[in-house]
Amino acid sequence: MQRTIFEPEHEQFRDSVRKFMLAEVAPNVDRWREAGMVDREVYLKAGEQGLLCVFADEKYGGAGIDDLRFDQIIVEENMRHGDIGFYINLHNDLVAPYIHKLGNEEQKARFMPGIVSGETILAVAMTEPSTGSDLAGMKTRAVDKGDHWLLNGAKTYISNGILGDLIVVAARTDPDRPHGISLFLVERGMEGFERGRKLDKMGLKSQDTAELFFNDVKIPKANLLGEAGQGFKSLARMLAQERLIAAIGFMATAQTAFDLTLDYVKERRAFGKPIGSFQNTRFKMAQMRAELDMAQTYVDQCVMLLNDNALSPEDASAAKLLSSELEGRVMDQCVQFHGGAGYMEEYRISRMYTDARISRIFAGTSEIMLEIIGRSLGLDERKLQ
Ligand SMILES: Cc1cc2nc3c(=O)[nH]c(=O)nc-3n(C[C@H](O)[C@H](O)[C@H](O)COP(=O)(O)OP(=O)(O)OC[C@H]3O[C@@H](n4cnc5c(N)ncnc54)[C@H](O)[C@@H]3O)c2cc1C
């Protein structure tokens, strides 16, 4: 179905992003998967090309463009022609906005130029060994020591955990309040900040995911992000965009899997004819086409709502829920249509299948998305007693 949200300037931008992904990212995919992480240089190259934080102020090297469609295009082209493990989306749309929106002028002046040029790679650390969905159970603590904060604790499953130079870390600062959490800017090289294992994963092989440890890390007062004790409010402010960006990526990978499977079923023959000519194949491909178009339209509409500051948390949760669940079904069906080839690493669909399994888990699990949507209907066990 024709998409209606893009203007000619977006299409031009898409062409240039596609060229970048084909030239600078795609040729490296196999090597990066082997290494378990992407090269740092790809962030610098993306920065040179103007693909990092288009929303950033011009004085920091950005383009000052407040239009999520540009970010959407970068994510879509990276998923289709680049590498899912190149977390340009995490850098641009999940972490940089914390600094852009919550940072004070001094913090922005200190960090944004490196973030926009690609010298400073970003990560965000919320999840801990004992808590993920239930962030109120967080144990990492920061204690106010007068002229600095003292940070202690451990985080796990952190994307860009090895490559990251600047990490937004959530820590409990008020032990008496479950939501008494603050955000800190932890920099590479701070004494007591250590990285643990680069974790072995089912998929996303070129994305480095790691454990982080904080042992008596002295965090300068100037590195508190936003107000002390208001971390939950800050997180909530960012989550709608985070979930929408995730949904954009899931739609792009599902669309890509569909397209490459459509080519495959036209070529592959069984019983003397292309497998695409069997009614079962035709119907299932048609069903996927219809579902993809419908979900894409919803996600595109959410992008326009976000641009108007009108995207609700439940709309964003619905986008994340439906796109990730659809992506999972599409990947499974596309592997099926590839037969044995679909199970072979050398076929892209096989890698896409394992890469996609995380989509229903991170950025909030499907169950948490359902909770958020359910509560917005007034179906809240605390209120319905
Ligand atoms: C590859 C990868 C990258 C990641 N990157 C990052 C990152 O960069 N930064 C970061 O902070 N974290 C990151 N995470 C962590 C991720 O966000 C969490 O794994 C996720 O939020 C789920 O938390 P959990 O693993 O603790 O699962 P749990 O919270 O233990 O959930 C286990 C199961 O219980 C269900 N459940 C939990 N609560 C409820 C409830 N109230 N009702 C119904 N069901 C419920 C869940 O839906 C799930 O099915 C990453 C994880 C992975 C695997």
Side-chain angles (χ1 to χ4, degrees), residues 13 17 20-21 40-57 60-65 70-71 74 86-93 96-97 112-122 160:
F13 183 70
V17 180
F20 175 84
M21 294 301 170
R40 296 186 67 82
E41 288 67 37
V42 70
Y43 282 90
L44 288 171
K45 286 181 178 161
E48 268 168 37
Q49 187 79 23
L51 301 186
L52 298 184
C53 308
V54 290
F55 54 81
D57 292 345
Y60 303 133
I65 298 175
F70 288 96
D71 298 84
I74 294 171
F86 172 32
Y87 262 23
I88 191 169
N89 46 332
L90 178 82
H91 183 92
N92 277 350
D93 305 304
M112 284 309 290
I115 293 170
V116 174
S117 71
E119 266 159 71
T120 307
I121 299 175
L122 299 175
N160 281 359

Side-chain angles (χ1 to χ4, degrees), residues 297-321:
T297 307
Y298 181 81
V299 168
D300 286 353
Q301 171 69 5
C302 287
V303 169
M304 299 312 278
L305 284 173
L306 187 126
N307 274 352
D308 290 340
N309 279 325
L311 184 71
S312 70
E314 49 277 12
D315 291 340
S317 297
K320 203 259 160 187
L321 173 74

Side-chain angles (χ1 to χ4, degrees), residues 378 380-385:
D380 187 329
E381 61 180 334
R382 287 165 303 186
K383 292 184 189 150
L384 288 176
Q385 295 288 352

